[in-house]
Amino acid sequence: MTHWRLLLVVLLGTILCIRAMEPMEETAGTASSTLTPTSTSEAENPSSCEVETANDAPPKVTKEDDMYEKLIEWIRSHKLGIVSEKLEIRRADPEDASSGYGLFVKESIKKGELLYSIPWDLIITPDTDSYQPTSFSCGTTRTLIQEAKKGNESSFYPYLRVFEEWDRYKAPLIEDWTEPGKDLLETITGTRLPPQNWREDGYWIYEWHKFCAGGSDELSEKAAMFVETRAEDALLVPLFDMSNHGNGDAINVVLEIEQFEFFDGLAHRDIEAGEQLNHSYNLCENCGSRITSGYGTPQLFRDYGFVEQYPQRWNFGEGVRFDLTKMPDGKLGIGWIDGFSPTRRGGLILEEEKDRLDRVMSLFMDLTKDLSLPTHEYETCKRYLHAVYTAVYSACGAIQMNLAEKASKEKDKLNEGDGSNATLDEELNVEDGSNATLDEEPANNNSDTKDNN
């Protein structure tokens, strides 16, 4: 008898659940419906008949989300570690699972606010014999390798998880591209456009082997690439290395570093919610010779694998060194770098390269249709082709404008009867620091080649 009663209770409960899930019939003429709230005990009951919709479900926490959350907790757990509650590490596009992670602002921040303070003992620094006159951070790489071998026994493990998950080949530097990808890039740059010599040297891996006598095993080479693409002055700084690159108005972080004490990031300007934290990789106070050497868009592309947005810095040699900026009206402005003036040879070379790039642009689809390139290499080549073509086109236009202006002034002098007869020798005499404004973009007959920044 007891079994029959139990069965009857179960059947009755099932019927009530089914009826509760059926759509409620609307009463004619009723303007609104009243929803009866679920009791607390019913809501907490795991056997409740309520069905949780996709919108009600909590967002899925990925392995990466957990890793970065633990990283921030690790920094804050240090008695001197600070990470502003207004910051978060998330995907650039939260709706796109393929987009990369970065450091973003959740709430507006005022200029001068402290964003983070990383204590020195949370920073991976060079080992004792690393201070040698080479361009590669040998000692930092060796320290990273040593700590990585310790696994979760390392005091840096929350940060080492980032290194472990980092995929060198997900968005590889050009030295790690396939041979067809390298061939395509070489077709774009030719023999006279930057970046140059990247193929013969192999660059970072080449320097790791040559200057550091570094190992060629997978861990060693991965560590070398990680250090050279993320380190700041031979320091691997947790959280800071999640910042992106930008110049001009995009810069919103300024650094204050006290050696052996702390590594601080402060708001360079007011920062709006949703902005990504950016600092300059080449025009910062701590950037050393990069500021004066002409290190710009091509070198950033070679060393870090991305084509920077405007403003861009270009150095084509022969005095052709300038910043290319997008103006508020959408046009491009050229600012010649102080102390540099294009030579006549420089102008002629750029005209020849412009004609060559015209042909590359028109043939781009034919050049790539049979290559079966990885998507990343194909898209990056498109972006760099458009960027270098725009820079060359803009420089040629600015030089012509300067020549026309110079010719007009000389003509006025002749009309005034001073008898002078100026000739154009080696220098085109572009005024140092002068600016020229051109159309926003050069004509582009290849609809598939566009700016994807």
Side-chain angles (χ1 to χ4, degrees), residues 1-9:
M1 191 68 178
T2 304
H3 294 295
W4 284 105
R5 286 177 181 172
L6 181 60
L7 180 60
L8 182 60
V9 170

Side-chain angles (χ1 to χ4, degrees), residues 207-417:
E207 295 205 349
W208 164 242
H209 294 313
K210 179 177 179 180
F211 295 118
C212 310
S216 56
D217 58 284
E218 185 177 349
L219 173 61
S220 297
E221 291 196 347
K222 178 181 177 179
M225 296 293 278
F226 187 83
V227 168
E228 289 310 311
T229 56
R230 299 175 76 106
E232 174 71 9
D233 287 342
L235 303 174
L236 277 178
V237 186
L239 194 76
F240 159 78
D241 65 359
M242 297 299 298
S243 301
N244 208 347
H245 164 78
N247 278 319
D249 293 338
I251 298 176
N252 52 21
V253 178
V254 62
L255 302 178
E256 288 189 4
I257 305 171
E258 184 66 38
Q259 194 170 21
F260 307 120
E261 295 292 335
F262 57 80
F263 189 108
D264 289 358
L266 294 89
H268 179 63
R269 57 169 172 80
D270 290 350
I271 310 175
E272 298 299 321
E275 282 193 62
Q276 187 170 8
L277 293 190
N278 298 312
H279 68 283
S280 177
Y281 290 7
N282 64 323
L283 301 178
C284 60
E285 291 182 7
N286 302 319
C287 288
S289 63
R290 287 187 174 187
I291 299 175
T292 57
S293 65
Y295 186 105
T297 304
Q299 291 74 31
L300 289 166
F301 172 48
R302 177 196 66 200
D303 296 348
Y304 300 99
F306 62 82
V307 180
E308 68 172 334
Q309 301 184 40
Y310 298 113
Q312 298 173 343
R313 173 159 290 191
W314 293 88
N315 177 16
F316 292 111
E318 295 290 340
V320 185
R321 188 180 294 193
F322 58 90
D323 290 329
L324 189 60
T325 306
K326 182 165 284 190
M327 314 300 284
D329 61 2
K331 293 183 178 180
L332 293 180
I334 277 190
W336 300 100
I337 304 300
D338 289 342
F340 291 90
S341 186
T343 64
R344 181 176 181 81
R345 172 178 164 79
L348 293 173
I349 288 175
L350 284 190
E351 287 291 342
E352 293 174 0
E353 288 301 302
K354 181 165 73 72
D355 292 341
R356 186 185 65 80
L357 288 174
D358 269 328
R359 295 191 293 273
V360 175
M361 293 275 280
S362 63
L363 295 173
F364 188 80
M365 292 303 294
D366 289 335
L367 290 170
T368 58
K369 66 181 181 181
D370 296 325
L371 291 182
S372 300
L373 288 175
T375 302
H376 172 77
E377 295 177 19
Y378 174 77
E379 294 295 337
T380 306
C381 276
K382 281 203 305 182
R383 283 195 292 274
Y384 190 69
L385 172 58
H386 184 74
V388 70
Y389 179 71
T390 300
V392 168
Y393 182 98
S394 300
C396 288
I399 290 172
Q400 290 302 318
M401 288 171 61
N402 277 281
L403 284 174
E405 185 179 342
K406 187 178 188 305
S408 177
K409 288 180 180 179
E410 296 301 332
K411 183 177 180 180
D412 290 342
K413 286 182 181 180
L414 289 173
N415 289 337
E416 290 171 3

Side-chain angles (χ1 to χ4, degrees), residues 112-126:
E113 273 191 54
L114 180 64
L115 302 170
Y116 49 78
S117 182
I118 313 300
W120 205 259
D121 51 355
L122 297 188
I123 297 171
I124 293 181
T125 57

